Amino acid sequence: MSQSDSAPSDARSQQVAPVEPEEPELPKETPLPWKQIVPLVAMRLAEPINFTLILPFLYKMIEDFGVAETPKDISYYASMMFMSFSISQAMTVMYWGRLSDRIGRRPVLIAGLIGTLAVSILFGVCKTFPMALLVRLVAGVFAGNAAVMKSAMAEIADDTNRSRMMALLPLTWNVGSMLGSGVGGIFSNPAQQLPGLFGNNKLFIFFPYLLPCLIGSTVAAVGLVAGILNFKETLIRPTQPAPEANVGSTESSPLLAQPATTSAVPVKQNSIRSLLTPLVLRVMITNAFMCLAYTMCDQLYPIFAATDPRDGGLGLDPRSIGFSLGVEGIVVVYIQLVVYPRLERKYGVLYCYRRGLSFAIPYLVSMPFLSIIALHLQNQAGTSATSMLIEKIVMWTILMFLMTMRITSSVMAFTSINMMITNMAPTRADLGLMNGTQQLAMSMVRIFAPIVSGSLWSWSIKHSFPFPFNSHLVWMLSTVLIVIVLKLSYRIPESVNKFAADQPKPVAIAESDE
């Protein structure tokens, strides 16, 4: 065969050769607007610190009040403290969210911080259980900043950096929880725990839990100053012309840039009924069950940790409880800022949500078994110091591993559900109401979760029932709830991975007369 005959054949073979499509490159991430983020994080830090600093000493504080007939009843009164906070938060959180849609995020955040500062000091001077219960009730009224901050963070983000920026809020919560737990464990009852500094201080002898509350109120004051001086309003008024696209901007670019397709026509806010589509309701239901499971165990843990090992607890003192709650914050920064954004950008929010739920199951199943080691340690008191030290190291190693699993699960699950709720808001004008609705659902769950977990824990350790109706009961119930949520999550579509407010909206085209 001649070269002229083979040439066309070669050309045809080259034409039909399949060409593998190249994977599209992810858009370059927009630099984060730190001038807005820093004061927002400073304001956010006040709430978790003031919420969690009471956890290490709550058991001892209720014991000092003298309201519990036996130590086994303390969990019931502790659950009432948690429940009072959630009741008032549920009654006011949607009001704060909707108010921020009307008057702006900044004034609502400042009002919340002023309230947090005041009630933190008041809680430190409580001498009776009814007074402490009332202060917690008032504290819940000013706990609506979480929903407003999610709206503000979404408004200063774009599609390239939204996952990283939204991750900053739960990161701040987890770091604040770590710091708050440490503050509560180290500085509660300072006259006894730190006698060299406060042994003769009459104020802290009479109010043994005032010092950690003063530290918490100081953090709230710092956030308040940062908000007043440095935080700029993020809400774009419906009548205000929208700026140009944010993608590709720099730190010196406008913070509130929006897609170029946004119109200057006034945006009408949707009603709560129109926002609650079947998809939103489905996500809210999984959110509620997930929140129930996590809240029951998170608020039970300090009681479980302080309970005598003979009753199924760990027998830890306030300082050890604060350490166990605080040390997990060492890993949360890496998970929140590095691991989660990479996973979310590669696989999507829904994938991260499911993985987070999966991590919770081994933590919940394993945690109550630690009381076996704690009981053995208690029974071996006075024997070989070496063997006791080894057993204590083993117990704390397992405890820290489980707490790391807990924080990994919590970070991935709650960050993902927050992003899904934000992504489903049809317009930016609905972000406050959408996040407020989610916060309301979570607050409603948190009304019942503490009383359920506290009552079940008290009931289970008072009776000699076999597994799983013994001290494992609350942990096993939470495990079942997480399994249900994980199964329901597979009915959520992939559309929740996209920020709906920035997606092109269908436009009706009028027919021509021609």
Side-chain angles (χ1 to χ4, degrees), residues 428-445:
R428 290 174 179 262
D430 297 308
L431 282 171
L433 182 58
M434 182 69 84
N435 286 310
T437 304
Q438 180 210 16
Q439 202 69 34
L440 170 64
M442 294 173 68
S443 298
M444 293 295 291
V445 168

Side-chain angles (χ1 to χ4, degrees), residues 3-226:
Q3 286 185 337
S4 59
D5 292 335
S6 62
S9 175
D10 293 341
R12 284 193 299 269
S13 64
Q14 291 176 5
Q15 290 176 359
V16 298
V19 179
E20 296 184 1
E22 296 182 0
E23 292 186 5
E25 294 185 2
L26 293 173
K28 185 178 179 181
E29 183 177 303
T30 305
L32 303 186
W34 289 108
K35 289 183 179 180
Q36 284 284 76
I37 291 176
V38 170
L40 193 62
V41 167
M43 290 189 285
R44 177 60 173 149
L45 198 60
E47 188 173 327
I49 288 179
N50 283 280
F51 182 81
T52 59
L53 65 82
I54 74 170
L55 298 180
F57 62 77
L58 185 61
Y59 186 95
K60 182 63 178 173
M61 187 182 199
I62 295 174
E63 189 177 55
D64 292 346
F65 288 153
V67 292
E69 295 181 2
T70 67
K72 295 180 180 181
D73 295 318
I74 290 178
S75 62
Y76 174 75
Y77 291 95
S79 65
M80 290 181 65
M81 299 273 275
F82 291 123
M83 185 178 67
S84 64
F85 179 93
S86 298
I87 288 175
S88 55
Q89 185 185 44
M91 294 175 64
T92 57
V93 68
M94 280 192 66
Y95 166 78
W96 291 118
R98 197 48 147 175
L99 183 65
S100 74
D101 285 337
R102 294 174 181 169
I103 69 172
R105 317 300 183 198
R106 186 172 178 273
V108 172
L109 293 174
I110 290 173
L113 283 170
I114 293 173
T116 299
L117 191 157
V119 296
S120 181
I121 298 174
L122 288 174
F123 191 79
V125 298
C126 290
K127 299 296 289 184
T128 65
F129 180 76
M131 182 180 177
L133 198 65
L134 178 61
V135 172
R136 292 293 292 170
L137 193 70
V138 176
V141 173
F142 296 99
N145 277 3
V148 180
M149 288 180 183
K150 282 185 270 187
S151 302
M153 192 67 82
E155 287 165 339
I156 62 177
D158 62 29
D159 287 338
T160 67
N161 60 21
R162 183 166 288 108
S163 62
R164 193 176 298 275
M165 289 181 65
M166 292 298 290
L168 289 173
L169 292 179
L171 169 65
T172 306
W173 174 271
N174 288 309
V175 172
S177 299
M178 172 194 70
L179 296 175
S181 301
V183 167
I186 295 171
F187 296 103
S188 62
N189 202 357
Q192 291 186 10
Q193 291 204 98
L194 303 169
L197 294 174
F198 305 104
N200 298 320
N201 192 303
K202 294 182 179 180
L203 178 65
F204 295 136
I205 292 174
F206 189 71
F207 297 116
Y209 308 107
L210 176 59
L211 181 57
C213 294
L214 287 176
I215 295 173
S217 64
T218 302
V219 175
V222 171
L224 180 62
V225 172

Side-chain angles (χ1 to χ4, degrees), residues 456-474 476:
L456 287 178
W457 173 258
S458 181
W459 176 82
S460 65
I461 64 176
K462 281 182 177 180
H463 301 85
S464 301
F465 293 118
F467 175 87
F469 300 102
N470 53 2
S471 58
H472 294 245
L473 180 59
V474 177
M476 292 300 104

Side-chain angles (χ1 to χ4, degrees), residues 252-478:
S252 60
S253 303
L255 289 172
L256 304 179
Q258 308 227 354
T261 55
T262 304
S263 172
V265 176
V267 178
K268 181 181 178 181
Q269 292 178 327
N270 290 282
S271 65
I272 183 65
R273 181 175 295 182
S274 62
L275 288 179
L276 294 179
T277 63
L279 175 58
V280 171
L281 287 173
R282 193 181 309 162
V283 174
M284 291 280 190
I285 289 171
T286 65
N287 184 21
F289 278 107
M290 178 193 73
C291 185
L292 178 61
Y294 278 97
T295 304
M296 283 199 303
C297 289
D298 286 352
Q299 298 189 355
L300 174 66
Y301 174 76
I303 306 301
F304 160 77
T307 299
D308 193 294
R310 290 171 294 184
D311 295 323
L314 300 181
L316 302 181
D317 57 33
R319 180 172 290 189
S320 298
I321 296 172
F323 176 79
S324 68
L325 288 168
V327 74
E328 63 188 19
I330 298 173
V331 298
V332 73
V333 176
Y334 179 75
I335 296 170
Q336 195 83 68
L337 291 184
V338 179
V339 176
Y340 183 85
R342 290 179 179 176
L343 288 175
E344 190 278 330
R345 292 195 75 194
K346 187 173 182 179
Y347 299 107
V349 176
L350 196 54
Y351 171 88
C352 296
Y353 184 53
R354 292 166 181 164
R355 296 292 75 77
L357 293 172
S358 300
F359 283 136
I361 296 173
Y363 152 70
L364 293 171
V365 172
S366 304
M367 181 60 80
F369 285 100
L370 273 182
S371 64
I372 298 174
I373 302 178
L375 180 60
H376 192 263
L377 273 171
Q378 188 181 64
N379 294 334
Q380 294 297 317
T383 59
S384 171
T386 303
S387 61
M388 285 189 65
L389 178 62
I390 293 173
E391 287 192 35
K392 185 172 290 188
I393 291 174
V394 170
M395 188 188 82
W396 274 95
T397 301
I398 297 173
L399 178 60
M400 290 301 96
F401 175 75
L402 292 177
M403 296 300 279
T404 300
M405 291 195 71
R406 168 198 167 274
I407 198 63
T408 302
S409 168
S410 178
V411 164
M412 296 189 69
F414 279 97
T415 305
S416 298
I417 200 70
N418 290 341
M419 287 191 65
M420 282 192 276
I421 296 296
T422 298
N423 286 348
M424 290 187 297
T427 69
R428 290 174 179 262
D430 297 308
L431 282 171
L433 182 58
M434 182 69 84
N435 286 310
T437 304
Q438 180 210 16
Q439 202 69 34
L440 170 64
M442 294 173 68
S443 298
M444 293 295 291
V445 168
R446 286 169 178 159
I447 292 174
F448 303 104
I451 200 70
V452 169
S453 62
S455 300
L456 287 178
W457 173 258
S458 181
W459 176 82
S460 65
I461 64 176
K462 281 182 177 180
H463 301 85
S464 301
F465 293 118
F467 175 87
F469 300 102
N470 53 2
S471 58
H472 294 245
L473 180 59
V474 177
W475 303 97
M476 292 300 104
L477 178 59
S478 297

